Amino acid sequence: MVYYRVQLERADGPRAYLAGRGLGVLVQREWPWRIGYAPPGWNPLTRHLRASGFTAKELVDAGLAIRTRDDPDRLIDMFRDRIMFPVRDPAGHAVAFLGRSSPGTRDDVPKYINSPQTPIYNKGRLLFGVAEQQDRLSARWTPVLVEGPADVLAVWLSYSWSGRVGAVALAPCGTTLTDTQATVLRQLPGATQGLIAAFDADPAGHAALDRAWQLLRHPRPLGPLLAADFSVGADPADLLCRPNGKAQLRAALRRQAQPMLDRVVDHRLARLVERHPRLLENIDGRCAAVRLLVPLLLEAASPDEAIRVARRIVAQTGAGVDTVAIAALAHLEQVIHHLRPDTSGQPGTA
């Protein structure tokens, strides 16, 4: 990590990029994030570490270097020309990296690459930002699930550490949210105040939110499950660099957050309409949409939430209240039928 940090001090382009994204303070301030930079070239880090006594096997096993296909004895760096975010375990030890492509990189280059699985790193078990924000987590700040490290840092910079309750962002490490990560989120002290998902307002962000809902809702945490409200093309990192961006981001996370299940209803209907653009133009299509949406009523945490979601389905589809009620009862009968044990063929049954 020291190597990457020194390289950032010499890299004008990445430093300017971070400053332009509102993250310039993290270039000057080393702790707690220690952002760095992997320079271009095939193997500058490998040469540096080999000169320090590390073996080829150690570098490959650590996920810092890879063997070339044509010459397995030749190593190249895993990360080249990338802004580097260290991933730490809960004890604070750096166990992996997330590398973001530098500004001006070709469009066909992946925006992020991540360290591979190693003996000390399981990407499905860790959340980026936990070790660096123990003070805020212990103070029961509300957890916010975001997509990547820049979003974590945007939320971190939007709240000053003044002892007041705020929001603390965490992100999966280059994977979709896993069961283990969802369990970590539910067990955070601040989860009793609620959990907020803050994803991009695009199809990938919608899919991420829908997955988060399925993993976080059961067992249901004590606090509400909410979704931040972003316009299309905006996310926490984008808001940070706008005029008055920190205040806008805080508002999106708290005052403008909506129940997560409401957003799941909206996303499911939007996908239906995208596949069938004229779906809601006639009664048959509206009834079909209702039948596909009413199973979400059974995912509500309370009767009041189920009623709210039913009203949302009515408003979004244009169907009548009776149509939604009939479809809900029919779906409930199907669920009960599948849960009822099959007694056919047993003695005493007619």
Side-chain angles (χ1 to χ4, degrees):
M1 190 61 242
V2 174
Y3 174 84
Y4 287 143
R5 184 70 188 173
V6 170
Q7 297 302 315
L8 180 61
E9 296 173 0
R10 306 168 180 170
D12 293 339
R15 288 164 63 90
Y17 168 81
L18 290 169
R21 296 301 304 271
L23 304 176
V25 65
L26 302 176
V27 176
Q28 306 300 327
R29 178 178 175 178
E30 183 171 1
W31 295 97
W33 301 101
R34 302 202 77 187
I35 295 175
Y37 174 65
W42 288 111
N43 57 4
L45 176 65
T46 298
R47 293 198 311 269
H48 172 76
L49 293 178
R50 290 298 298 271
S52 299
F54 290 92
T55 66
K57 183 177 185 304
E58 288 172 332
L59 298 184
V60 172
D61 289 347
L64 295 174
I66 55 178
R67 301 183 185 277
T68 59
R69 293 181 179 179
D70 54 344
D71 184 0
D73 293 329
R74 178 173 177 256
L75 300 184
I76 59 175
D77 293 349
M78 170 67 72
F79 301 98
R80 303 182 299 276
D81 191 21
R82 289 184 176 271
I83 298 168
M84 302 295 289
F85 302 91
V87 177
R88 303 181 187 280
D89 63 19
H93 303 119
V95 295
F97 292 96
L98 304 177
R100 192 211 185 279
S101 59
S102 291
T105 304
R106 300 192 319 270
D107 291 340
D108 60 341
V109 173
K111 184 177 179 180
Y112 278 97
I113 62 172
N114 315 285
S115 293
Q117 300 274 118
T118 69
I120 62 171
Y121 175 53
N122 184 325
K123 65 180 63 180
R125 301 184 67 85
L126 294 180
L127 288 164
F128 178 81
V130 170
E132 294 86 350
Q133 301 180 97
Q134 284 296 320
D135 51 355
R136 300 184 179 196
L137 293 170
S138 298
R140 308 181 72 86
W141 285 27
T142 303
V144 178
L145 179 64
V146 297
E147 291 194 51
D151 297 322
V152 171
L153 297 173
V155 176
W156 184 76
L157 288 168
S158 295
Y159 288 89
S160 62
W161 176 244
S162 60
R164 295 181 298 172
V165 173
V168 54
L170 306 164
C173 298
T175 67
T176 57
L177 186 69
T178 66
D179 287 320
T180 301
Q181 291 166 336
T183 299
V184 171
L185 286 166
R186 283 195 300 266
Q187 293 176 346
L188 292 173
T192 57
Q193 313 298 321
L195 285 168
I196 304 171
F199 298 127
D200 292 8
D202 58 19
H206 295 170
L209 186 138
D210 294 353
R211 178 172 177 80
W213 165 256
Q214 294 303 328
L215 293 181
L216 292 172
R217 72 181 181 87
H218 185 73
R220 185 65 64 90
L222 295 178
L225 294 174
L226 302 171
D229 186 22
F230 294 115
S231 60
V232 175
D235 59 22
D238 293 323
L239 282 182
L240 181 65
C241 54
R242 295 181 180 181
N244 202 29
K246 293 180 180 179
Q248 290 186 49
L249 180 50
R250 291 193 299 268
L253 295 177
R254 305 307 295 262
R255 294 194 302 273
Q256 299 170 10
Q258 302 175 3
M260 196 180 296
L261 182 53
D262 288 6
R263 300 291 292 279
V264 173
V265 171
D266 295 347
H267 297 166
R268 187 168 296 186
L269 180 59
R271 287 194 293 270
L272 288 172
V273 173
E274 183 178 1
R275 291 197 296 268
H276 308 284
R278 305 184 66 179
L279 180 69
L280 303 181
E281 294 182 3
N282 57 68
I283 186 63
D284 290 339
R286 289 193 291 271
C287 289
V290 167
R291 287 193 296 271
L292 292 169
L293 293 174
V294 293
L296 293 173
L297 296 177
L298 298 186
E299 298 181 7
S302 67
D304 287 344
E305 185 176 42
I307 291 171
R308 190 195 70 241
V309 172
R311 288 173 176 166
R312 193 173 191 87
I313 293 174
V314 169
Q316 298 287 61
T317 62
V321 174
D322 54 344
T323 300
V324 175
I326 293 170
L329 288 173
H331 176 69
L332 184 58
E333 288 178 354
Q334 290 179 349
V335 171
I336 293 173
H337 175 75
H338 288 301
L339 292 176
R340 184 181 297 136
D342 184 6
T343 58
S344 61
Q346 296 183 11
T349 60

